[in-house]
Coordinates of all heavy atoms in Angstrom, one line a residue:
K262 N 108.9 110.4 97.8 CA 108.0 110.4 98.9 C 107.9 111.7 99.6 O 106.8 112.2 99.9 CB 108.3 109.2 99.9 CG 108.3 107.8 99.3 CD 108.7 106.8 100.3 CE 110.2 106.9 100.7 NZ 111.2 106.6 99.6
S263 N 109.1 112.2 100.0 CA 109.0 113.5 100.8 C 108.5 114.6 100.1 O 107.7 115.4 100.6 CB 110.4 113.8 101.4 OG 110.9 112.7 102.2
T264 N 108.9 114.8 98.8 CA 108.4 115.8 98.0 C 106.9 115.7 97.8 O 106.2 116.7 97.9 CB 109.1 115.8 96.6 OG1 110.5 115.6 96.7 CG2 108.8 117.0 95.7
Y265 N 106.5 114.5 97.6 CA 105.0 114.2 97.4 C 104.2 114.6 98.7 O 103.2 115.3 98.5 CB 104.9 112.7 97.2 CG 103.5 112.2 97.2 CD1 102.6 112.5 96.2 CD2 103.0 111.5 98.3 CE1 101.3 112.1 96.2 CE2 101.7 111.0 98.3 CZ 100.8 111.3 97.3 OH 99.5 110.9 97.4
V266 N 104.7 114.3 99.9 CA 103.9 114.6 101.1 C 103.7 116.1 101.2 O 102.7 116.6 101.4 CB 104.5 114.1 102.4 CG1 103.6 114.4 103.5 CG2 104.7 112.6 102.3
S267 N 104.9 116.8 101.0 CA 104.8 118.3 101.2 C 103.8 118.9 100.2 O 103.0 119.8 100.5 CB 106.2 118.9 100.9 OG 107.0 118.5 101.9
V268 N 103.9 118.5 98.9 CA 103.1 119.1 97.9 C 101.6 118.7 98.1 O 100.7 119.5 98.0 CB 103.6 118.6 96.5 CG1 102.6 119.0 95.4 CG2 105.0 119.2 96.2
V270 N 100.1 118.0 101.0 CA 99.6 118.8 102.1 C 99.2 120.2 101.6 O 98.1 120.7 101.9 CB 100.6 118.9 103.2 CG1 100.2 119.9 104.3 CG2 100.7 117.5 103.9
T292 N 104.6 118.0 113.8 CA 104.1 118.1 112.4 C 104.0 119.6 112.0 O 104.4 119.9 110.8 CB 102.7 117.5 112.3 OG1 102.8 116.1 112.7 CG2 102.1 117.5 110.9
Q293 N 103.6 120.4 112.9 CA 103.5 121.9 112.5 C 104.9 122.4 112.1 O 105.0 123.1 111.1 CB 102.9 122.7 113.7 CG 101.4 122.4 113.8 CD 100.8 122.9 115.1 OE1 101.5 123.6 115.9 NE2 99.6 122.6 115.3
T294 N 105.9 122.1 112.9 CA 107.2 122.6 112.6 C 107.7 122.0 111.3 O 108.3 122.7 110.5 CB 108.2 122.2 113.8 OG1 107.6 122.5 115.0 CG2 109.6 122.8 113.6
R295 N 107.6 120.7 111.1 CA 108.1 120.1 109.9 C 107.4 120.7 108.6 O 108.0 121.0 107.6 CB 108.0 118.6 109.9 CG 108.3 118.0 108.5 CD 108.5 116.5 108.4 NE 107.9 116.1 107.1 CZ 108.4 115.1 106.4 NH1 109.4 114.4 106.8 NH2 107.9 114.9 105.2
D296 N 106.0 120.8 108.7 CA 105.3 121.4 107.6 C 105.8 122.7 107.2 O 105.9 123.1 106.1 CB 103.8 121.5 108.1 CG 102.9 120.4 107.5 OD1 103.5 119.4 107.1 OD2 101.7 120.6 107.5
K297 N 106.0 123.6 108.3 CA 106.4 124.9 108.0 C 107.8 125.0 107.4 O 108.0 125.6 106.4 CB 106.5 125.7 109.4 CG 106.5 127.2 109.3 CD 106.2 127.8 110.6 CE 106.6 129.2 110.7 NZ 108.1 129.4 110.9
E298 N 108.7 124.2 107.9 CA 110.1 124.1 107.3 C 110.0 123.6 105.9 O 110.7 124.2 105.0 CB 111.0 123.2 108.2 CG 111.4 123.9 109.5 CD 112.1 122.9 110.4 OE1 112.4 121.8 110.0 OE2 112.4 123.3 111.5
M299 N 109.3 122.5 105.7 CA 109.2 121.9 104.3 C 108.6 122.9 103.3 O 109.0 123.1 102.2 CB 108.4 120.7 104.3 CG 109.0 119.6 105.1 SD 110.4 118.8 104.3 CE 109.5 117.6 103.3
A300 N 107.5 123.6 103.8 CA 106.8 124.6 102.9 C 107.8 125.7 102.5 O 107.8 126.2 101.4 CB 105.5 125.0 103.5
E301 N 108.5 126.2 103.5 CA 109.4 127.3 103.3 C 110.5 126.9 102.3 O 110.9 127.6 101.4 CB 110.1 127.8 104.6 CG 109.1 128.7 105.4 CD 109.6 129.0 106.8 OE1 110.7 128.6 107.1 OE2 108.9 129.7 107.5
D302 N 111.1 125.7 102.5 CA 112.1 125.2 101.6 C 111.6 125.1 100.2 O 112.2 125.5 99.3 CB 112.6 123.8 102.1 CG 113.7 123.9 103.1 OD1 114.2 125.1 103.3 OD2 114.1 122.9 103.7
L303 N 110.4 124.4 100.1 CA 110.0 124.0 98.7 C 109.3 125.2 98.0 O 109.6 125.4 96.8 CB 109.0 122.8 98.9 CG 108.6 122.1 97.6 CD1 109.9 121.6 96.9 CD2 107.7 120.9 97.9
Y304 N 108.5 126.0 98.7 CA 107.7 127.0 98.0 C 108.4 128.4 98.0 O 108.1 129.2 97.2 CB 106.3 127.1 98.6 CG 105.5 125.9 98.2 CD1 105.5 124.7 98.9 CD2 104.7 125.9 97.0 CE1 104.7 123.6 98.5 CE2 104.0 124.8 96.6 CZ 104.0 123.7 97.4 OH 103.3 122.6 97.0
E305 N 109.2 128.6 99.0 CA 109.9 130.0 99.1 C 111.3 129.9 98.6 O 111.7 130.6 97.7 CB 109.8 130.6 100.5 CG 108.4 131.0 100.8 CD 108.2 131.3 102.2 OE1 109.1 131.7 102.9 OE2 107.0 131.1 102.7
R306 N 112.1 129.0 99.2 CA 113.5 128.9 98.7 C 113.7 128.0 97.5 O 114.8 127.9 97.0 CB 114.4 128.3 99.9 CG 114.6 129.4 101.0 CD 115.6 128.9 102.0 NE 115.1 128.0 103.0 CZ 114.4 128.4 104.1 NH1 114.2 129.7 104.3 NH2 114.0 127.6 104.9
L307 N 112.6 127.3 97.1 CA 112.6 126.4 96.0 C 113.7 125.3 96.1 O 114.4 124.9 95.1 CB 112.8 127.1 94.6 CG 111.7 128.2 94.3 CD1 112.0 128.8 92.9 CD2 110.3 127.5 94.2
R308 N 113.8 124.8 97.4 CA 114.8 123.7 97.6 C 114.0 122.4 97.7 O 113.0 122.3 98.5 CB 115.6 123.9 98.9 CG 116.5 125.2 98.9 CD 117.7 124.9 98.1 NE 118.5 123.8 98.7 CZ 119.5 123.2 98.1 NH1 119.9 123.6 96.9 NH2 120.1 122.2 98.6
L309 N 114.5 121.3 97.1 CA 113.9 120.0 97.3 C 114.3 119.4 98.6 O 115.3 119.8 99.2 CB 114.3 119.1 96.1 CG 113.8 119.5 94.7 CD1 114.5 118.6 93.7 CD2 112.3 119.4 94.7
P310 N 113.5 118.5 99.2 CA 113.8 117.9 100.5 C 115.1 117.1 100.4 O 115.5 116.6 99.3 CB 112.7 117.0 100.8 CG 111.7 117.1 99.7 CD 112.2 118.0 98.6
D311 N 115.9 117.0 101.5 CA 117.0 116.2 101.6 C 116.5 114.7 101.6 O 115.4 114.5 102.0 CB 117.8 116.4 102.9 CG 118.5 117.8 102.8 OD1 118.8 118.2 101.6 OD2 118.7 118.4 103.8
T313 N 115.6 111.4 103.3 CA 115.1 111.2 104.6 C 116.1 110.3 105.4 O 116.6 109.3 104.8 CB 113.7 110.5 104.5 OG1 112.9 111.3 103.7 CG2 113.1 110.4 105.9
L324 N 103.6 112.1 110.7 CA 102.9 113.4 110.4 C 101.4 113.2 110.6 O 100.8 112.3 110.1 CB 103.2 113.7 108.9 CG 104.6 113.8 108.5 CD1 104.8 113.9 107.0 CD2 105.2 115.1 109.2
Y326 N 97.6 114.9 110.9 CA 96.7 115.9 110.4 C 95.3 115.6 110.8 O 94.9 114.5 110.9 CB 96.8 116.0 108.8 CG 98.1 116.4 108.3 CD1 99.0 115.4 108.0 CD2 98.6 117.7 108.3 CE1 100.3 115.6 107.5 CE2 99.8 118.0 107.9 CZ 100.7 117.0 107.5 OH 102.0 117.3 107.1
D350 N 106.6 109.1 106.7 CA 107.5 109.3 105.5 C 108.8 108.5 105.8 O 109.7 109.1 106.5 CB 107.7 110.8 105.3 CG 108.6 111.1 104.1 OD1 108.9 110.1 103.4 OD2 109.1 112.2 104.0

Side-chain angles (χ1 to χ4, degrees):
K262 299 178 293 297
S263 301
T264 313
Y265 169 73
V266 183
S267 293
V268 171
V270 167
T292 301
Q293 284 165 9
T294 310
R295 171 170 144 148
D296 259 17
K297 195 163 163 284
E298 285 171 6
M299 295 284 276
E301 280 168 6
D302 272 349
L303 194 56
Y304 287 88
E305 288 167 31
R306 288 193 277 279
L307 299 181
R308 293 283 303 168
L309 293 173
D311 290 331
T313 306
L324 300 170
Y326 299 94
D350 179 13

